[in-house]
Amino acid sequence: MACATFVGLLMSFTGVFGLGDDPAVVRTVYLVVACWVGAALAMLGYGAAQRIEWVRARLWARVVVADVLCVVPSAVLVWASTAWFGASFGLAMLPIFLLNGFVVWGAFIAAFVAPAMDAAARRERDTATAGVPRASFMDRLPPRLRRAELWALKAEDHYLRAITSEGEALIRLRLADALRELDAFDGARTHRSWWVARAAVRGVKRWDGKAALTLPDGREAPVSRSYARALRAARWL
């Protein structure tokens, strides 16, 4: 809330919305409280965005969803409440409030809310997995992905694409070598080029005798016939 307080003080100093002629204490209290409400809505919106699997995997999507959820109520509240100060903003000005709010709160969410709440989510995951052995494979990933949820691995020529909840990365490693380092994970090979974590499976798609596993970000991991029997026995399919 410290950042929201600073924004409110800055808005009071500049006299936004034509409030510069109102008593300094009154407009400052009003604008700071309005920013607190907006910040609270931004955090609630970002928390809601983190619960949507496709959105959670993309930072820009989390920011946009949180921005939309925050802007609509906060902009309408500011637009309506400025009448208390004698400002004459008609209904035609509401879209301007919404557009300005989308830009301002989008920047606020990207700069302050997203880093803080993502860090809190990582700490929560770290606490939940404290004491649980971690596969050495995760140490091969870039630092930003090492605490993420591993969803799948895909072999691409001499490289391996690691798909996680925080993004993906290419590393120079054979799939067979990676599988020896994944004993701590509940997962299975689904294709000669794919390995999938059981917790990442969101659905099974079947067509013409073929099958694929749907991952949280919407992509599909193919299931080849040579691995289908073992997956059915393990109740993946």
Side-chain angles (χ1 to χ4, degrees):
M1 286 298 180
C3 295
T5 302
F6 173 77
V7 173
L9 293 173
L10 181 62
M11 292 172 69
S12 175
F13 178 77
T14 57
V16 296
F17 306 129
L19 304 180
D21 295 332
D22 292 282
V25 173
V26 174
R27 73 167 183 267
T28 299
V29 170
Y30 164 73
L31 290 170
V32 168
V33 171
C35 287
W36 285 350
V37 172
L41 290 171
M43 289 186 288
L44 289 174
Y46 198 82
Q50 288 178 317
R51 296 177 180 274
I52 305 172
E53 291 173 353
W54 186 90
V55 175
R56 186 175 63 223
R58 298 163 174 83
L59 174 60
W60 67 265
R62 297 197 300 272
V63 171
V64 170
V65 170
D67 197 5
V68 172
L69 294 176
C70 164
V71 163
V72 174
S74 62
V76 171
L77 176 64
V78 172
W79 169 80
S81 61
T82 48
W84 299 342
F85 294 88
S88 56
F89 294 116
L91 188 61
M93 288 293 294
L94 181 56
I96 303 300
F97 274 78
L98 290 170
L99 179 60
N100 290 340
F102 189 81
V103 173
V104 172
W105 284 113
F108 181 85
I109 292 168
F112 302 108
V113 176
M117 295 193 68
D118 286 350
R122 285 193 294 271
R123 287 195 297 271
E124 184 177 345
R125 285 198 300 268
D126 292 346
T127 300
T129 58
V132 177
R134 297 181 64 247
S136 59
F137 172 81
M138 298 301 289
D139 295 329
R140 296 181 180 272
L141 301 181
R144 65 184 178 86
L145 300 181
R146 290 176 187 169
R147 293 292 179 180
E149 299 171 17
L150 181 62
W151 288 348
L153 301 176
K154 180 186 178 185
E156 298 182 3
D157 295 328
H158 299 294
Y159 290 86
L160 195 62
R161 183 176 299 277
I163 304 168
T164 79
S165 59
E166 298 295 331
E168 55 188 67
L170 276 176
I171 58 176
R172 192 173 180 83
L173 185 70
R174 296 188 308 167
L175 180 57
D177 294 332
L179 294 178
R180 287 193 286 269
E181 300 179 358
L182 291 170
D183 291 339
F185 284 87
D186 182 9
R189 199 165 181 174
T190 67
H191 185 275
R192 63 184 178 85
S193 300
W194 281 83
W195 174 93
V196 176
R198 184 190 288 267
V201 178
R202 295 296 181 266
V204 180
K205 183 178 179 180
R206 297 182 176 87
W207 73 99
D208 298 333
K210 301 178 182 179
L213 303 177
T214 304
L215 302 181
D217 61 358
R219 79 180 79 194
E220 297 174 352
V223 176
S224 65
R225 292 182 179 179
S226 57
Y227 293 97
R229 178 176 296 180
L231 293 173
R232 280 195 292 269
R235 302 196 176 188
W236 284 56
L237 302 176

